[in-house]
Amino acid sequence: MTLDEETLEQLRKRVRAGGAERYHAANAAKGKLFARERVALLVDEGSFVEDGMYANVLADGLPADGVVTGTATVDGRPICLMANDSTVKAGSWGARTVEKIIRIIERAYTTGVPMVYLVDSAGARITDQVELFPGRRGAGKIFYNQVRASGSIPQACALFGPSAAGGAYIPAFCDVVAMVEGNASMYLGSDRMVEMVTGEKTTLEAMGGAKVHCAESGVGHFLCKTEADAIDTVKRYLSYLPSNWTQHPPKREAQNAPEKIDLAALVPASERQAFDMRRYANGLLDSDSFFEIQPLWAKELTIGFGRLNGEVVGVVANNSMFKGGVLFVDSADKATRFVQLCDAFNVPLLFLSDVPGFMVGSAVEKQGIIRHGAKMITAISEATVPKICVVVRKAYGAGLYAMAGPGFEPDATIALPTAKIAVMGAEAAVNAVYANKIAAISDEDERAEFVAAKRAEYERDIDIVRLASELVVDAIVEPGDLRGELIRRFAAAAGKDRHFSRRRHGVTPV
Ligand SMILES: CCC(=O)SCCNC(=O)CCNC(=O)[C@H](O)C(C)(C)COP(=O)(O)OP(=O)(O)OC[C@H]1O[C@@H](n2cnc3c(N)ncnc32)[C@H](O)[C@@H]1OP(=O)(O)O
């Protein structure tokens, strides 16, 4: 049978329309776009080439498959993409859906281009489980492919609706997830299932909504007001990364002057006074180039991309505005993953240190602070991209190690004239060493005098000039000269050897 033009066009029209009108109306009422509209917002006009468009056109009761896949360009650079169509069985994965997702990830991996996931899905199609769940090319293969592609090509997800059960792992295996407030959710069991299994009464929003994941669990990276914001965020993320691990991040031709921020005035002399390290980063980097990732989660540590003289850098910075900049379990995890991301995609790392150390106490010990801290220090050790540590105000204890201190093969350790590097702050150190002696002095004035003398002695020991003379720091740089110094040092480190250890991989303390 030959297919005439008109019949083929009608078939295409039917497929492009997706599910029944009532599902479109229900989505529109929630402010949700149709899958194909999302694709159009993401890609360069006219660049989309669809794969497997006719999947399921002969299936009973289905207007089309539940996912749209294909290749396109974004800002002129090739990508692969998938977009769940929630008007077809709530975007659940039928057998063809799974095959299409598997194939497009394989295409992205083998051609070395980023994979973008536009997610809005009920997870596995429960009614079709034999065809899609257990086999060699069942749903598990999606995750296998994502893990294989991780660190080889960028993988970014915009999440617009539910991402249920197994479906929740697609975002989880991505480098970043942009979630739309109010509609996006991720959860392993629906609210109905949770009540059945545990008796807990909850809602999708309260249990796995965008705010929960972006501010509490850390599974989400960007909380977005609209679908267009989420798509723009994915595009911005991709603009800092190469297409794959063999390439360098795209350099911007325009080398903007940095925002006019007086870096010296920004850092208070007193360690007890907080300052916003995000402003400091903005003052160092090219104008408007700082792109913060996970701004709402573990805020005591700031991470993000920026540009120095047009070249991409990854920034890891302590922020004393939140919990005094002390490292906790979540902030250690946040840093670990970002350092691995930058190392995978050849993004040099800039550490801005103002760290009192890791948190102490029974609560964090029970959470495994040692394990999480060790994980962060592992990532810092294994990162072979150019890395520079700037001690902006202080680097105390294991915080120095976690922020790529001198023992971790940084390409430079730079201190500002006011920087302090020590095993701990003066007050804690004097207390640790002289607690018995201090307690034995009954006269209050005499005791204060003793403590002040010991503190002064300690401060002399950790004097930054002394540390420079011992080659602990490579340079003491005035704040006004720091940007130029970093540009020159990163350029000098660009061609460095990237080998770390003779082995298959380490055994990470997770
Ligand atoms: C790898 C292991 C796995 O992934 S197991 C997957 C388990 N998935 C789930 O438990 C999610 C079940 N679905 C839901 O909770 C809801 O459908 C969610 C995703 C919240 C969307 O709700 P809502 O937008 O109101 O749609 P709805 O429930 O009215 O469903 C629309 C039509 O789609 C269907 N549907 C939904 N989910 C599935 C599924 N997982 N498998 C098969 N069919 C599914 C519904 O039956 C409904 O169909 P119809 O309109 O009644 O013909």
Side-chain angles (χ1 to χ4, degrees), residues 22-23 30 89-90 92-93 121-127 133 139 143 162 164-167 187 190 192-193 204:
R22 65 178 186 283
Y23 299 114
K30 293 181 199 154
K89 296 283 173 197
S92 59
W93 308 339
S121 169
R125 192 166 298 158
I126 298 161
T127 43
F133 178 67
F143 310 140
Y187 48 90
S190 69
R192 278 204 301 269
M193 184 189 277
L204 298 188

Side-chain angles (χ1 to χ4, degrees), residues 23-24 26-28 30-38 65-68 82-93 97 101 117-125 157-164 167-168 170-171 177-178 180 183-187 204 227:
Y23 299 114
H24 287 274
N27 276 346
K30 293 181 199 154
K32 289 170 70 174
L33 296 173
F34 180 39
R36 289 174 187 278
E37 292 173 318
R38 291 169 181 159
D65 187 46
V67 72
V68 176
M82 59 136 278
N84 298 120
D85 179 356
S86 60
T87 67
V88 179
K89 296 283 173 197
S92 59
W93 308 339
T97 322
I101 298 173
Y117 303 82
L118 304 180
V119 175
D120 185 356
S121 169
R125 192 166 298 158
C157 172
L159 182 51
F160 307 104
S163 156
I170 283 195
V177 187
V180 180
N183 282 337
S185 57
M186 273 186 269
Y187 48 90
L204 298 188
E227 296 205 358

